Amino acid sequence: MAEKEEVKLLGIWASPFSRRIEMALKLKGIPYNYVEEILEHKSPLLLALNPIHKKVPVLVHNGKTILESQVILEYIDETWKQNPILPEDPYERSKARFLAKLVDEQIITAGFVSMARADEKGREALAEQTRELVMNLEKELVGKDFFGGKSVGFLDLVAGSLIPFCLERGWEGIGLKVITEEKFPEYSRWVKNLEKVEAVKDCIPPREKHIEHMNYMGERIRSA
């Protein structure tokens, strides 16, 4: 790679989608400039770089703009080969991508978007639906330190940024216990392993502030 590289990340401190990019860059040892965006007042730079979705994260690498967090993760892995995050084996790689999609589409919908709109009875039903979805991850973790095996990989970044370090804060804010150590021992062990990884730990949002933010996001969804 060129000696002088421009690597800039536009993100929001509470966003699991931008936090996972920071985790990947730190795992790879890539220096980057971080630009904090404000949810209600998106900068002209963000709107110019991502005029379609107007969302974070946005990665700028030597003048090239890369959008959507899972796409950005793959770009990072293909651009900087050290400490690979995607599995080398094609089958394992396809499985990681499939489960990452499950996390970012189905788990976030049942576990937060729909839950925010539901009444107490509806929340309990959605909590059970979320548990069934998370059980797919629980089974995948048997006998492993991480989804990536002995080291943090693609699915660890996607699921880790979203579930334990985001959705669980949202559930805590509404007094709902969705995941227990008794029912999800592998998941619980995995979260503890993640918290020991410096690149991950550095990117976990502050708990109390994050709970407040998730309550606020829930209110936004309800009032939309």
Side-chain angles (χ1 to χ4, degrees), residues 5-8 49 59-66 75:
E5 290 191 283
E6 178 206 18
V7 181
K8 182 186 292 184
L49 293 173
L59 184 74
V60 180
H61 178 220
N62 293 339
K64 295 173 289 188
T65 302
I66 304 95
Y75 177 87

Side-chain angles (χ1 to χ4, degrees), residues 80-95:
W80 295 280
K81 302 296 184 183
Q82 68 272 26
N83 303 326
I85 56 175
L86 273 160
E88 187 177 346
D89 178 74
Y91 171 68
E92 293 299 327
R93 195 159 59 241
S94 70
K95 193 161 57 169

Side-chain angles (χ1 to χ4, degrees), residues 134-184:
V134 174
M135 188 56 71
N136 291 287
L137 303 178
E138 173 78 6
K139 292 172 183 174
E140 191 62 31
L141 282 164
V142 174
K144 300 177 183 177
D145 292 335
F146 303 101
F147 290 107
K150 289 293 182 184
S151 59
V152 172
F154 179 78
L155 184 54
D156 297 289
L157 299 176
V158 172
S161 61
L162 187 74
I163 306 174
F165 309 134
C166 183
L167 294 186
E168 287 204 45
R169 273 92 185 271
W171 301 332
E172 189 174 344
I174 59 174
L176 192 63
K177 191 69 177 174
V178 177
I179 297 175
T180 62
E181 189 167 358
E182 183 181 12
K183 188 164 184 179
F184 295 91

Side-chain angles (χ1 to χ4, degrees), residues 14-21 23 69 73 103-104 154-169 190 194 200 203-205 210:
S15 167
F17 305 104
S18 57
R19 284 296 191 172
R20 67 181 56 156
I21 306 306
M23 291 175 190
S69 69
L73 287 177
V103 170
D104 276 358
F154 179 78
L155 184 54
D156 297 289
L157 299 176
V158 172
S161 61
L162 187 74
I163 306 174
F165 309 134
C166 183
L167 294 186
E168 287 204 45
R169 273 92 185 271
W190 166 72
L194 277 179
V200 173
C203 299
I204 300 173
H210 203 193

Side-chain angles (χ1 to χ4, degrees), residues 26-153:
K26 287 177 183 291
L27 282 170
K28 296 274 188 179
I30 308 302
Y32 63 97
N33 294 320
Y34 178 75
V35 178
E36 177 71 21
E37 290 288 330
I38 299 172
L39 188 64
E40 301 86 351
H41 306 288
K42 294 167 184 176
S43 72
L45 178 61
L46 173 62
L47 298 177
L49 293 173
N50 191 359
I52 298 174
H53 299 302
K54 304 178 177 64
K55 292 180 180 178
V56 298
V58 175
L59 184 74
V60 180
H61 178 220
N62 293 339
K64 295 173 289 188
T65 302
I66 304 95
L67 308 173
E68 299 294 325
S69 69
Q70 290 192 30
V71 174
I72 295 171
L73 287 177
E74 296 212 27
Y75 177 87
I76 289 170
D77 206 38
E78 291 169 7
T79 303
W80 295 280
K81 302 296 184 183
Q82 68 272 26
N83 303 326
I85 56 175
L86 273 160
E88 187 177 346
D89 178 74
Y91 171 68
E92 293 299 327
R93 195 159 59 241
S94 70
K95 193 161 57 169
R97 286 173 174 146
F98 172 80
L99 289 171
K101 195 171 181 182
L102 178 103
V103 170
D104 276 358
E105 293 181 5
Q106 295 186 53
I107 291 178
I108 194 173
T109 299
F112 186 66
V113 179
S114 297
M115 202 175 279
R117 297 189 179 111
D119 57 17
E120 189 173 342
K121 186 177 179 182
R123 282 179 179 175
E124 286 298 337
L126 287 162
E128 187 54 39
Q129 185 181 334
T130 303
R131 291 183 194 107
E132 290 173 6
L133 292 167
V134 174
M135 188 56 71
N136 291 287
L137 303 178
E138 173 78 6
K139 292 172 183 174
E140 191 62 31
L141 282 164
V142 174
K144 300 177 183 177
D145 292 335
F146 303 101
F147 290 107
K150 289 293 182 184
S151 59
V152 172

